[in-house]
Amino acid sequence: MAETRNLLRGETGDWEVVIGMEVHAQVTSNSKLFSGAPATYGAGPNENVSLVDAAMPGMLPVINAYCVEQAVRTGLGLNAKINLWSRFDRKNYFYPDLPQGYQISQYEFPIVGEGTIEVELDAERTIEVGIERLHLEQDAGKSIHDLAPRESYVDLNRSGVALMEIVSKPHMRSAEEASAYFSKLRTILRYLGTCDGNMDQGSMRADVNVSVCRAGNYAKFLESGDFSHLGTRTETKNVNSIRFVRQVVDYEARRQIQVLEAGGSIDQETRLFDVKSGETRTMRSKEDAHDYRYFPDPDLLPLTITQEAVDNIRAELPELPDAKKHRFVGVYGLSAYDASVLVMDKDKADYFERVAGGRDGKLASSWVTTELFGLLNKTNTNILESPVTADQLGALIDLIQDQTISGKIAKQVFELMLTEDAGKDPKDIVEARGLKQVTDTGALEAAADKIIAENPEQVAKVKDKPKALGWFVGQVMKETGGKANPQAVNAILKQKLGLE
Amino acid sequence: MTDLTAKTITELRSGLSAKEFSAEEVTKAYLQSAEDASELNAYVRLTPEHAVEQAKVSDRRIADGSARPLEGIPLGIKDLFCTKGIETNAASKILKDFRPVYESTVTSNLLRDGAVFLGKLNLDEFAMGSSNETSAYGPVINPWRRAGEDTKLSPGGSSGGSSTAVAAHLCAAATATDTGGSIRQPAALTATVGIKPTYGRCSRWGIVAFASSLDQAGPIARDVRDSAIMLTSMAGHDPEDSTSIERPVPDYEKALEGGVKGMKIGIPKEYRLDGMPSEIDELWQKGAKLLEEQGAEIVEVSLPLTKYALPVYYIVAPAEASSNLARYDGVKYGLRVHDDDIHEMYRKTRAEGFGREVQRRLMIGTYVLSAGYYDAYYLRAQKVRKKIANEMASVFQDVDLLLTPSSPSAAFGLGEKSTDPVEMYLNDVFTVTANLAGTPGISLPAGLDGQGLPLGLQLLAPAFGEEQMLRGAYALEEAIGFDAQPSKWWK
Amino acid sequence: MSLDDATVKKVANLARIAIRDEDVPHLKEELNGILGWIEQLQEVDIEGVEAMTSVVETDIPMRTDITADGPTGGGQPENIVANAPKTEDHFFVVPKVVE
């Protein structure tokens, strides 16, 4: 039952862990949310900073239309309600990487409201995670602490870059679910082209909210919507990998249970994740974090968009992973799980489609997911730089489908395509190396006759144990140097041994 | 030679184009008079080299027939407008040595039209004040004195440097800003003309922000015509200011003629305050009578929410200011008082950098936005503000203009009102409603009180009603025929 | 609603303004004077009134997604740090921040 899944055993009884996530995703755009400075990564210090981003006196924000469009696009991709009227508020706090002394964000009226996404955990389990809201806001700059012993260096390149903050409902119930949600969200954003998902560049980071409660209390929360059934949550900031999300949840759940079972209580606080130790710790700098003095930004007008504009964006939406998954199941006959693995990465899904087009979908899927992905994983290669193109792999599968070669030989050819015969057409490789399957019944019958004649004991055995036929097939294959068509050999042997 | 500094923009314009004198001569005359008037403390900084350079360009353009609308007209710039390469401090220690690398849109517009900038004018710190006494550079002195006295009087605020410089002929006209009355009240106290345009008419880009939803730039000038000429150049749509209105700018000078015949002008009865000097009431009635004689219909109207305008203002303006002034933190520009702890550095810098009135307002603003108080103060204030704006809009369904006094008193002595903040705030009682509603207003000299100090009358118009407002003001100015001048005691 | 000493100190800290203990009483008095005067707004009936969010009643203007030149564009680190009290290699330098 969903409501009591993933129980954690404590000293004093069972606990449930509840996770919600606020994901900050950098909007893919040329320029910043409120200025014309570039939103690119990796420039020199304060190189991508306009006078607006540096909060020079008298500077004013003007919103980037494309960032608004991207937020709407993302909202649609999360099956969420688009609010035609939303508003920017100022969140006030002092910090050296916050040049204005406030962040322009959307507090009370976000551009996107409630939505929901499906998250696959494995072949059998899929969960639904509710989206609470999505809003647009400015990113802050960056303080660098290790360039001088007693000083911090501030670079405002990120200051003002557009972020989407995507807030989930507290619908995740384990480290596995939390990391799968984060990963699925990344997939959706990449499909939409609204965020590049480059976590090592900070394009996507999660604030992970974790709480624990006694077994059964989550169900009460779900029924009543009353958060008091849940435990006090901690928020671990800026978690920037799928693996770290998992570690944070595991660590925090364990820590909180320990604290509670020892008679302590959990503070609602902001924590930081230490990548090296895998632990979280209290963040010291947020001394008056709870009084942001939000109020509507008087430099901006309410953000109004038309239904027509939303409809136009909807009409142009690319196919999203869930739709693609369902199509792969329907059109190519794949299992839901295989399909979900393929659609995880749009480039991989595109590769598969190119291979599968006009061919046996299952065969294509098995070649792509097993052989090709296996190879790419082993060599840590991106699909876009695959040494075997989709067309080449398709041509190889054609040779299997028209029985020119067997699957086994195909693997041999695949190896050759990566090494000695790189870049060559599989058909030419098969030709040049004489790997063509022997389908000539005469030759196969002769080989079968030879094996039958030479092995009377085996012939006697096979009458009682029809499974011993495999031995004969193997022998004939050996005789033909592996090039025989196994189905044909099978049929001929059965007939000759009188097994039908 | 005639006193070039006695001329209006209109007179300078025709004299320059007739080559009776050169722009350089005019500029130098003004620079001289400004230097001679250092006792008034109107300028925080003169930029003579810049000014003469600009004047020379003007003379060349006049010579080759490519003169622009304000060619060679020497202006003073309130030090709230950022000027490229020229120090801009908003009369605050916290912006010590700040030299913008950009030019505000309004001053860019003036430069585009050929104006010459003489220097930067004093003001209340961050435009927060009604007497110019909160300036880090010390108060500006009103050129007007009570008859037979040498008590130093305030020129009003926050644009006290602008009003004094215009009244004392230290520039032909000046830029100013008005958040609660900061153009109109100092204009009234110095017998000059000040316009607060419709919100969004002039760009706020490059003006040091005080309260974003209320701030509006406008001119202070010698007479109504000059103020119209100035506004024509200053106004305009700016794509860099999201609250700027995309609407063509008329030639306001052309709107002056035509008179008030057939206009309906309202007298809001709630503007008759208890304890207001009777002279103000008399001048107000006289103004109404003059307009009536010109053919306007005078009607009494009621604006019952008037008394709530100032309390609303003293929530909204400090709230916005508390956020707008958060950027002065000792990191990017201006003053830094060092401390090893970053937050202690902020606290010390801001305690040292901001004056008392600014600190007071930042604290009020912080408090009214803080958790638990937002609804009771800020949200309620914005709702009352909406009601006030609706009330104004509805009264303008019936009348074309409103006539009111500009300020509840004539110029007061320095220090006389600075002990009780609320008493000081009451200076803006007649002007602040227009800021809350985003509507335009103009103050013009109406006469002198018994002590020989000028008093002003204000005309208010509906949003984008500047043309009818100027038409009314011009007619009233003609009818009043005010021509008094302060004696030049400072020379 | 009137402020006590602790609230005055809290507000000053939120506003990042250092105040001395001896300044608290008169600051409190001034602020309470202002707040007391503002209190009259409680008389106004605001039932069903929408709060004013903007004076200007037009659609929000938007910029196109191109990188700009000039003040609103990048590529001017020297301008960005030109007025800063302390800089190094185009970085702003501040007292050590502890996270």
Side-chain angles (χ1 to χ4, degrees), chain A residues 30-31 36-37 45-47 50-51 62-66 94-95 145 148 150-154 285 288 301 304, chain C residues 14 16 53 58-60 62-63 65 67-68 71-73 75 77 80 86 88-90 92-94 96-99:
Chain A
N30 295 320
S31 60
N46 289 315
E47 191 70 47
S50 73
L51 304 182
V62 182
I63 195 165
N64 182 332
Y66 186 67
F94 287 89
Y95 209 67
H145 308 303
R150 303 178 61 183
E151 284 162 326
S152 295
Y153 284 36
V154 180
S285 56
D288 43 32
L301 306 182
T304 46
Chain C
L14 267 178
R16 291 293 185 277
T53 43
T58 54
D59 286 337
I60 185 169
M62 299 198 194
R63 68 164 73 240
D65 184 31
T67 52
T72 60
I80 297 302
K86 190 161 187 191
E88 186 74 47
D89 297 334
H90 292 161
F92 295 103
V93 178
V94 299
K96 193 94 169 169
V97 180
V98 183
E99 279 185 289

Side-chain angles (χ1 to χ4, degrees), chain A residues 106-164:
Chain A
Q106 296 189 298
Y107 178 59
E108 220 182 328
F109 300 99
I111 185 166
V112 176
E114 290 187 322
T116 173
I117 63 170
E118 278 180 19
V119 178
E120 298 79 8
L121 302 175
D122 59 27
E124 277 85 40
R125 296 174 304 148
T126 295
I127 58 165
E128 268 199 1
V129 176
I131 302 294
E132 179 70 36
R133 54 184 279 164
L134 173 156
H135 67 255
L136 279 169
E137 64 183 27
Q138 298 176 299
D139 203 351
K142 192 173 155 67
S143 304
I144 301 160
H145 308 303
D146 52 7
L147 292 179
R150 303 178 61 183
E151 284 162 326
S152 295
Y153 284 36
V154 180
D155 172 20
L156 299 179
N157 280 347
R158 292 196 70 95
S159 165
V161 165
L163 296 181
M164 296 179 283

Side-chain angles (χ1 to χ4, degrees), chain A residues 139-283:
Chain A
D139 203 351
K142 192 173 155 67
S143 304
I144 301 160
H145 308 303
D146 52 7
L147 292 179
R150 303 178 61 183
E151 284 162 326
S152 295
Y153 284 36
V154 180
D155 172 20
L156 299 179
N157 280 347
R158 292 196 70 95
S159 165
V161 165
L163 296 181
M164 296 179 283
E165 180 173 326
I166 302 165
V167 183
S168 82
K169 296 192 182 248
H171 285 175
M172 289 154 279
R173 313 291 307 289
S174 67
E176 179 197 22
E177 292 185 9
S179 58
Y181 165 77
F182 191 47
S183 161
K184 180 63 182 280
L185 199 56
R186 178 171 181 270
T187 302
I188 294 173
L189 300 183
R190 284 169 53 86
Y191 265 71
L192 291 164
T194 56
C195 172
D196 64 22
N198 290 336
M199 291 185 275
D200 48 345
Q201 295 179 1
S203 293
M204 235 184 124
R205 1 2 136 183
D207 296 345
V208 185
N209 294 300
V210 179
S211 68
V212 296
C213 60
R214 281 296 181 185
N217 277 4
Y218 187 77
K220 290 182 195 158
F221 157 71
L222 276 192
E223 250 166 58
S224 61
D226 180 355
F227 279 86
S228 70
H229 293 296
L230 302 181
T232 304
R233 67 188 161 86
T234 61
E235 180 182 23
T236 305
K237 287 265 185 210
N238 290 329
V239 183
N240 68 346
S241 92
I242 294 169
R243 187 162 60 91
F244 295 160
V245 167
R246 189 181 277 264
Q247 287 180 332
V248 164
V249 175
D250 277 338
Y251 180 84
E252 267 300 295
R254 267 203 320 274
R255 184 187 71 84
Q256 292 184 14
I257 290 171
Q258 262 171 26
V259 169
L260 293 170
E261 293 200 324
S265 63
I266 301 300
D267 294 328
Q268 182 164 347
E269 61 173 0
T270 307
R271 299 178 70 86
L272 283 177
F273 178 64
D274 183 338
V275 177
K276 282 186 209 119
S277 66
E279 296 175 357
T280 67
R281 64 170 169 86
T282 302
M283 193 168 170

Side-chain angles (χ1 to χ4, degrees), chain B residues 99 240 245 308 315 332-333 336 339-340 343 347 350 356 360 363 367 380 382 385-387, chain C residues 3 11 13 15-16 18 30 38 41-45 49-50 52 55-56 63 83-84 93 95:
Chain B
R99 206 177 285 274
E240 300 300 345
I245 303 283
Y308 299 111
I315 292 173
K332 303 160 301 276
Y333 35 71
R336 173 186 296 186
D339 194 282
D340 286 337
H343 290 282
R347 281 185 278 262
R350 291 164 62 82
R356 281 190 56 181
R360 196 149 47 215
M363 287 185 66
Y367 178 69
R380 172 169 280 268
Q382 287 290 34
R385 181 178 180 187
K386 184 78 177 177
K387 282 187 86 161
Chain C
L3 304 187
V11 170
N13 182 47
R16 291 293 185 277
E30 281 175 2
I38 285 169
L41 287 186
Q42 303 302 325
E43 303 160 15
V44 184
D45 179 13
V49 181
E50 241 181 81
M52 191 122 161
V55 186
V56 172
R63 68 164 73 240
N83 283 287
V93 178

Side-chain angles (χ1 to χ4, degrees), chain A residues 8-82:
Chain A
L8 295 174
R9 189 133 305 159
E11 302 274 312
T12 60
D14 288 345
W15 297 86
E16 294 183 81
V17 59
V18 180
I19 305 131
M21 230 185 278
E22 291 155 26
V23 172
H24 291 90
Q26 181 182 332
V27 175
T28 299
S29 64
N30 295 320
S31 60
K32 294 184 179 182
L33 183 56
F34 294 112
S35 85
T40 46
Y41 177 81
N46 289 315
E47 191 70 47
N48 285 352
V49 180
S50 73
L51 304 182
V52 180
D53 312 312
M56 291 291 164
M59 293 298 99
L60 297 170
V62 182
I63 195 165
N64 182 332
Y66 186 67
C67 294
V68 174
E69 202 183 290
Q70 290 283 57
V72 171
R73 190 170 287 123
T74 307
L76 294 172
L78 300 176
N79 311 299
K81 180 176 182 293
I82 307 301

Side-chain angles (χ1 to χ4, degrees), chain A residues 304-342:
Chain A
T304 46
I305 40 180
T306 62
Q307 186 58 48
E308 192 193 354
V310 175
D311 292 342
N312 289 341
I313 294 169
R314 191 194 300 275
E316 302 286 312
L317 276 187
E319 184 183 41
L320 291 171
D322 287 347
K324 200 182 277 291
K325 182 182 81 182
H326 293 135
R327 187 165 60 78
F328 281 9
V329 170
V331 174
Y332 299 110
L334 306 189
S335 75
Y337 185 69
D338 285 349
S340 73
V341 169
L342 279 170

